[in-house]
């Protein structure tokens, strides 16, 4: 996944980003899954590249794919604390679910 401006200057910086996502899959195919979530599993942007829009582009791209597959929410987790990404995610419209997973805060973005 990469994003380029008209001069192509941003392409090299995007190489330093790591994005992993997972999508809702009803493995049985019978609709019985009760806690199936699509989401952003990992988003790493190099310190020097943060604030250039790569992070927002990555989240919006994952959200678009989840929406395209017919789902209505994107879930992610982050480590809480000073200097963490909570403000970034809340700024994109994620809401806190009140859950934690492995000591991380769980956030959810509605995709309607």
């Amino acid at each position: 996944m990469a994003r380029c401006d008209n001069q192509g200057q941003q392409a090299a910086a995007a190489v330093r980003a790591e994005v992993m996502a997972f999508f809702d899959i009803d493995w049985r195919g019978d609709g019985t899954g009760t806690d199936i979530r699509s989401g952003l599993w990992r988003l790493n942007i190099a310190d020097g590249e943060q604030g250039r829009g790569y992070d927002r582009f990555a989240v919006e791209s994952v959200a678009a794919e989840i929406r395209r597959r017919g789902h209505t929410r994107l879930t992610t987790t982050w480590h809480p604390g000073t200097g963490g990404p909570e403000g970034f995610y809340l700024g994109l419209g994620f809401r806190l679910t009140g859950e934690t997973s492995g000591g991380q805060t769980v956030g959810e973005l509605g995709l309607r």
Side-chain angles (χ1 to χ4, degrees):
M1 178 184 317
R3 180 174 125 181
C4 296
D5 61 17
N6 291 337
Q7 293 80 32
Q9 295 172 348
Q10 295 178 350
V15 173
R16 291 181 237 157
E18 178 182 344
V19 180
M20 296 174 67
F22 58 94
F23 302 98
D24 283 332
I25 298 173
D26 182 2
W27 292 104
R28 292 185 189 154
D30 62 4
T32 60
T34 59
D35 190 26
I36 300 172
R37 299 182 187 195
S38 288
L40 184 63
W41 182 23
R42 181 181 203 150
L43 175 60
N44 292 325
I45 307 293
D47 285 342
E49 304 303 333
Q50 294 177 11
R52 295 180 175 210
Y54 302 117
D55 44 6
R56 177 179 292 275
F57 176 75
V59 172
E60 289 172 353
S61 296
V62 171
E65 179 61 20
I66 292 170
R67 189 180 297 110
R68 187 188 71 76
R69 292 173 182 239
H71 301 286
T72 59
R73 65 181 174 154
L74 184 162
T75 305
T76 195
T77 61
W78 59 84
H79 289 283
T82 305
E86 184 167 284
F88 166 73
Y89 287 114
L90 296 179
L92 289 177
F94 282 83
R95 65 170 187 79
L96 302 175
T97 66
E99 301 172 76
T100 59
S101 176
Q104 296 185 50
T105 301
V106 178
E108 182 176 279
L109 178 66
L111 302 177
R112 299 190 194 278

